[in-house]
Amino acid sequence: MSQRPIPPRPGPGAARGRLDEILRVDHAGELAAVFIYRGQRAVFARANDKGRITGQLEQMEAHEAEHLAAFNERLTEARVRPTLFAPLWRAAGFALGAGTALMGEKAAHACTEAVESVIEAHYADQVAELAEREPLLAADLSRFREEELAHHDLAVEEGAREAPGYPLLAAVIRAGCRTAIKISEKI
């Protein structure tokens, strides 16, 4: 479910304040994504017959690490502090990744599908909001969104929606992502 783009706030510094929120929340999301995949790989790497999914997770983690590096650079350039919740998001991401991997491959893919469905919509809203004001950032977000959609589609192809308890699992993960987004924008 996509929300309407958030218009720039009135007043001096409002656009800058909104840009700070966007950079902070997107950095937090990519940080958590890296740790979700690390948690999943930590579980699957211990099994001899999980080479295929481990390879898929490595590739997706590499995309997320690239996105994270881009946001690290943008945060530094813009002198924006990361979310104060970064340590929690690292731990929560790893725990979510490891927990869903322990439930099996389909649950790990369900995690990816749920997370990426929220993130791609989040990025789509930001692209619409920033297209005229910050075209270079909007272009990066559009590219990142395409990669997130590819992760989503792979997860669906690999049976994400066949995971035990999929509707509940996906709903809880999506709600957690939306909550983390709201927190990370502000704090």
Side-chain angles (χ1 to χ4, degrees):
M1 161 159 78
S2 184
Q3 300 174 357
R4 64 172 178 74
I6 300 169
R9 295 181 199 146
R16 170 58 199 237
R18 177 64 183 140
L19 182 60
D20 290 359
E21 288 177 355
I22 289 169
L23 294 177
R24 183 174 18 266
V25 71
D26 291 353
H27 175 267
E30 297 298 347
L31 177 69
V34 166
F35 280 87
I36 289 169
Y37 289 125
R38 284 184 186 169
Q40 290 175 336
R41 284 192 318 107
V43 170
F44 290 128
R46 298 190 189 299
N48 293 334
D49 62 340
K50 301 298 182 189
R52 181 167 185 258
I53 190 169
T54 300
Q56 291 170 336
L57 296 169
E58 284 174 0
Q59 186 175 40
M60 290 187 287
E61 182 184 330
H63 291 150
E64 305 299 356
E66 178 190 324
H67 303 171
L68 178 59
F71 284 115
N72 278 332
E73 189 175 311
R74 284 187 181 270
L75 284 179
T76 300
E77 287 173 1
R79 295 183 176 198
V80 175
R81 67 159 177 77
T83 178
L84 297 176
F85 282 82
L88 178 60
W89 298 156
R90 281 186 199 97
F94 192 90
L96 177 60
T100 55
L102 287 168
M103 294 170 64
E105 288 186 38
K106 291 184 191 295
H109 286 302
C111 176
T112 296
E113 187 271 340
V115 169
E116 300 297 20
S117 68
V118 172
I119 299 310
E120 77 80 13
H122 174 74
Y123 278 164
D125 289 344
Q126 288 181 343
V127 168
E129 178 183 347
L130 297 171
E132 291 182 29
R133 215 166 19 120
E134 295 283 342
L136 295 177
L137 178 57
D140 283 347
L141 293 174
S142 184
R143 182 173 56 85
F144 297 165
R145 179 178 176 263
E146 289 302 316
E147 291 175 357
E148 308 299 2
L149 282 167
H151 300 169
H152 172 276
D153 294 348
L154 174 66
V156 171
E157 289 169 19
E158 292 293 325
R161 295 177 179 156
E162 299 165 20
Y166 168 79
L168 179 60
L169 179 63
V172 168
I173 292 170
R174 286 185 187 113
C177 288
R178 289 185 189 108
T179 301
I181 286 170
K182 292 298 178 194
I183 291 169
S184 295
E185 279 180 336
K186 304 297 182 189
I187 301 173

